[in-house]
Amino acid sequence: MRKIVINGGRSLKGRVTVSGAKNSVVALIPAIILADGIVTLDGVPAISDVDSLIDIMETMGATVTRQGETLEIDPRGVQDMPMPFGKINSLRASYYFYGSLLGRFGQAVVGLPGGCDLGPRPIDLHLKAFEAMGARVTYEGQNMRLSTEGQRIHGAHIYMDTVSVGATINTILAAVKAEGRTVIENAAREPEIIDVATLLNNMGARIRGAGTDIITIDGVENLHGTRHQVIPDRIEAGTYIALAAAVGEGIQIDNVLYEHLESYIAKLEEMGVRMTVSEDAVFVEKQDKLKAVSIKTSPYPGFATDLQQPITPLLLKATGSGYITDTIYEKRVGHVQELANLGADIQTRGNRIAYKGPSHLRGTAVKATDLRAGAAMVIAGLMAEGRTEITNIEFILRGYSNIIEKLTELGADIQLVEE
Ligand code: EPZ
């Protein structure tokens, strides 16, 4: 097993560039199955989720060429076959193969999704949409089979009981080549949904309303190849902004779309974080006094659930006390005990997290309990006095490209070592 070792307490400075969005690219790659030509993606992040998806695509018969951040995929060799279960289980976003295989072949046999342990992560809304569009769902061992039994998948009017990024995107994937019109009400509005719709529309799809809570898709016969630039990763950006405020003395984060982070930046300003937001970058000064605030996550454009863990070490620097309530994943608290082990005054109380700052953190052995909890461990380790060792770091490498190189560049004393 590998671990990350940090000698903390140092001030960092310089510039860091945000990579392409993980939560976009994990949908863009499966979406390419729907094309009858070559699709090229630019700005693809160097993360292990992408490696896993490339493996799956090649196993299914696609031809994939990767040059740096550019991925060229020819999906014309993709066969309608059961998905390779092992790889499927490694990432939750494998569920996007349901929608794209259903959209292309009218059937899909896919292993049940894996991913971070954030408590139960159902896919009932995905299945409800597919059934409304004419697919039948059956289970074969650990695989799930979706099939329209030879009929063409057809459009439907779908109301999402819960706002769901995955169910919204998966329904779009199944609908773009379906017979007739699909309407999704109470759709999620995340920027990644707009990115997927942009790719599909550039392939010839007819999607309107992505980014709003009502999305209309008129099915077409064919989708052709195209070239597409992946949007910047707003969660990676938010993570580096929190890190810069926690341990930086002047850090510029490049490739940031302010409109993707409005609620997050507003919360940082409420804390008194001094930063300059420009067209596509954020400059964060060295901070002195910060004020404790409370946070409540909500679907986009609210405060992102994926950022409540990375911002928490920064909250621990602030003076005062506050609460963090994750309304989307109540159990997204794996980082709390680990932060307490570093000396933080933080605990879960019922369905929320209570903290009191400022906390003086001292390095020790901690573990990443999930992807964004791992990011919180890295920031806390940079803040803590002495040596911090983080295990279970495969989670971190799933969503943060070149994190060791990026932090070393900023002056951090951080290594990835074999245990
Ligand atoms: C996406 O997950 C992201 N992952 C998550 O980021 C993110 O936390 C989440 O959206 C919320 O923003 C990817 O995009 C790959 P949801 P997803 O469906 O689509 C419930 C990260 O750190 N729900 O929007 O799986 C669900 O339990 C990851 O990058 C159902 O009840 O999330 C949750 O409470 C972690 N039934 C809420 O909806 C369903 O069928 C939102 O989940 C689907 C979801």
Side-chain angles (χ1 to χ4, degrees), residues 22-23 26 92-93 95-96 118 120-126 162-167 190 305-306 328-329 332 371-372:
K22 163 180 94 76
N23 290 347
V26 296
R92 174 167 171 84
Y95 55 43
Y96 289 131
L118 302 178
R121 298 189 69 188
I123 54 168
D124 55 310
L125 298 173
H126 302 234
T162 312
V163 174
S164 161
V165 175
E190 271 71 359
T305 169
D306 294 350
I328 295 175
Y329 297 119
R332 198 166 193 169
L371 164 58
R372 307 301 174 185

Side-chain angles (χ1 to χ4, degrees), residues 26-353:
V26 296
L28 297 173
I29 293 174
I32 292 170
I33 286 175
L34 292 156
D36 55 17
I38 290 175
V39 176
T40 301
L41 299 179
D42 295 309
V44 175
I47 54 176
S48 58
D49 274 4
V50 168
D51 303 338
S52 302
L53 289 167
I54 291 173
D55 280 357
I56 293 172
M57 293 288 278
E58 288 178 328
T59 306
M60 292 169 62
T63 308
V64 182
T65 315
R66 191 175 194 176
Q67 244 111 26
E69 294 190 341
T70 295
L71 211 48
E72 184 187 273
I73 300 181
D74 183 348
R76 287 171 289 192
V78 169
Q79 309 297 321
D80 174 16
M81 58 175 276
M83 293 292 295
F85 182 70
K87 275 288 169 206
I88 279 285
N89 218 13
S90 68
L91 67 146
R92 174 167 171 84
S94 52
Y95 55 43
Y96 289 131
F97 285 102
Y98 303 154
S100 57
L101 289 168
L102 208 46
R104 174 164 169 182
F105 297 115
Q107 68 167 359
V109 178
V110 187
L112 293 167
C116 290
D117 177 15
L118 302 178
R121 298 189 69 188
I123 54 168
D124 55 310
L125 298 173
H126 302 234
L127 301 181
K128 187 178 154 197
F130 294 145
E131 287 171 325
M133 297 168 80
R136 278 189 58 244
V137 181
T138 51
Y139 294 87
E140 297 162 357
Q142 287 184 312
N143 280 342
M144 179 168 62
R145 179 189 189 83
L146 302 165
S147 176
T148 56
E149 311 301 353
Q151 306 299 316
R152 188 175 172 196
I153 199 161
H154 58 72
H157 194 114
I158 293 152
Y159 182 83
M160 294 288 178
D161 307 333
T162 312
V163 174
S164 161
V165 175
T168 301
I169 291 178
N170 235 343
T171 304
I172 292 172
L173 294 175
V176 285
K177 292 182 76 177
E179 178 81 46
R181 170 169 287 189
T182 299
V183 176
I184 306 171
E185 284 199 59
N186 200 26
R189 298 162 52 190
E190 271 71 359
E192 291 75 32
I193 293 162
I194 300 173
D195 205 31
V196 173
T198 303
L199 168 70
L200 289 167
N201 282 341
N202 290 339
M203 287 161 55
R206 294 171 57 201
I207 305 165
R208 283 174 294 121
T212 74
D213 60 354
I214 298 189
I215 301 176
T216 304
I217 305 112
D218 288 310
V220 296
E221 292 293 322
N222 288 303
L223 296 173
H224 51 74
T226 187
R227 185 157 194 154
H228 178 79
Q229 174 78 37
V230 182
I231 56 170
D233 192 318
R234 60 194 168 96
I235 308 303
E236 185 192 18
T239 303
Y240 280 103
I241 293 171
L243 181 151
V247 296
E249 50 179 22
I251 292 179
Q252 175 155 322
I253 297 102
D254 293 313
N255 199 27
V256 179
L257 293 180
Y258 168 68
E259 65 269 19
H260 290 174
L261 285 164
E262 280 190 62
S263 55
Y264 183 71
I265 286 175
K267 189 53 74 174
L268 291 169
E269 285 168 344
E270 188 188 330
M271 291 180 71
V273 171
R274 293 198 314 279
M275 57 193 149
T276 312
V277 180
S278 61
E279 173 76 15
D280 62 355
V282 174
F283 181 78
V284 183
E285 300 172 36
K286 178 174 170 52
Q287 307 302 317
D288 36 40
K289 279 206 56 65
L290 294 173
K291 184 170 74 72
V293 294
S294 285
I295 287 168
K296 190 168 189 175
T297 69
S298 59
Y300 191 86
F303 192 102
T305 169
D306 294 350
L307 284 170
Q308 60 96 340
Q309 294 163 299
I311 199 175
T312 299
L314 176 64
L315 295 176
L316 296 172
K317 270 189 79 133
T319 304
S321 55
Y323 293 102
I324 302 140
T325 311
D326 194 331
T327 66
I328 295 175
Y329 297 119
E330 220 174 84
K331 295 196 173 14
R332 198 166 193 169
V333 296
H335 56 307
V336 173
Q337 185 51 51
E338 303 300 318
L339 289 170
N341 295 347
L342 285 161
D345 181 350
I346 187 169
Q347 63 274 328
T348 51
R349 278 205 210 127
N351 69 346
R352 61 188 185 174
I353 298 166

Side-chain angles (χ1 to χ4, degrees), residues 9-13 242-249 251 314 317 379 382-384:
R10 301 157 63 108
S11 290
L12 308 188
K13 66 190 301 180
L243 181 151
V247 296
E249 50 179 22
I251 292 179
L314 176 64
K317 270 189 79 133
I379 297 174
L382 293 168
M383 291 164 63

